[in-house]
Amino acid sequence: GQEATTMRQDGEQVITPFNLEDENEEGHFDENGNFIFDKKTGEEIRDSWLDSIDMQKLPTAVPKETVSKESTPDPLSKRSPTEILTQIVAILKPSESVTKALKRLGGTQLSASQRLKLKKKGQLATNSQADKELLEKLTSLSDWLLHQGRDTIYQDTYEKLNHEIKQASGSWSYFYMFTAELNLF
């Protein structure tokens, strides 16, 4: 099905009929029938937007406020996982997971209409500063453990974490905690 090479126009839209000879000049068909454009040597792809950028006006220096993450030491890296788990357990309530504690400390999420009703009644409860600080602390501790390879930290409950801390105080548990950090088992 090769059509005449004449170009037609439908209003302002130009219609180019299919012409296999023209297509073969721009590329080729592989054994699966897929058309592959040939890369032409010496022909450079131009980007009009990039050409409009004046390279002389671009800033050359990095702002002083930009600080690399490697330069700031992580205060949690000097603590053992057992110490971090102990701090998390101090924040949790019995039979509460880390996720539930985050929801508790973060406050209930009310819709705008519910908040307005409570505000009119004078019953709108705001999170205390202590809850906000505990929320930030629990988030940073859990996130640190997550980045260390503890994938289940957000599902772990008060009882499970407490059990692990008790195991860590035993003689064999130091070996267990050390190998857990290295992901040997």
Side-chain angles (χ1 to χ4, degrees):
Q2 194 160 307
E3 298 179 13
T5 59
T6 60
M7 294 180 69
R8 294 186 215 131
Q9 197 163 2
D10 183 25
E12 292 183 23
Q13 187 71 26
V14 178
I15 300 172
T16 307
F18 177 74
N19 188 335
L20 188 59
E21 292 172 2
D22 289 344
E23 300 298 327
N24 281 333
E25 290 175 9
E26 295 177 7
H28 65 279
F29 291 95
D30 65 3
E31 60 274 356
N32 295 327
N34 298 320
F35 185 76
I36 300 172
F37 284 100
D38 291 334
K39 294 182 182 177
K40 305 213 182 209
T41 56
E43 189 176 308
E44 185 179 327
I45 298 174
R46 303 297 300 174
D47 187 346
S48 302
W49 177 82
L50 187 58
D51 290 341
S52 70
I53 302 294
D54 186 9
M55 295 303 212
Q56 303 299 327
K57 293 181 181 178
L58 291 177
T60 56
V62 177
K64 293 180 181 179
E65 295 83 27
T66 307
V67 179
S68 67
K69 288 185 177 182
E70 292 84 30
S71 65
T72 57
D74 185 11
L76 296 175
S77 63
K78 295 179 181 176
R79 298 181 188 165
S80 72
T82 307
E83 291 174 319
I84 293 174
L85 289 177
T86 305
Q87 290 181 355
I88 290 175
V89 166
I91 297 171
L92 298 179
K93 291 184 176 181
S95 73
E96 186 177 49
S97 69
V98 173
T99 303
K100 287 181 182 178
L102 289 171
K103 287 180 183 178
R104 172 179 50 88
L105 295 170
T108 58
Q109 297 296 326
L110 301 174
S111 67
S113 62
Q114 290 172 331
R115 280 194 308 265
L116 184 60
K117 286 178 185 176
L118 289 174
K119 187 176 181 180
K120 286 181 181 179
K121 292 179 182 178
Q123 298 174 351
L124 184 61
T126 58
N127 291 350
S128 68
Q129 186 63 27
D131 282 352
K132 289 179 183 179
E133 290 173 5
L134 285 175
L135 176 69
E136 289 177 14
K137 183 176 181 180
L138 181 59
T139 302
S140 65
L141 293 170
S142 302
D143 189 51
W144 187 84
L145 284 172
L146 183 68
H147 288 319
Q148 299 304 313
R150 176 81 182 246
D151 296 336
T152 61
I153 187 62
Y154 288 102
Q155 291 79 30
D156 291 344
T157 62
Y158 172 88
E159 289 78 16
K160 180 175 181 183
L161 296 175
N162 220 358
H163 179 69
E164 286 184 29
I165 292 168
K166 288 178 184 174
Q167 281 184 335
S169 61
S171 59
W172 63 272
S173 60
Y174 177 75
F175 175 74
Y176 170 76
M177 292 298 288
F178 178 75
T179 55
E181 284 183 44
L182 297 177
N183 293 325
L184 295 175
F185 293 107

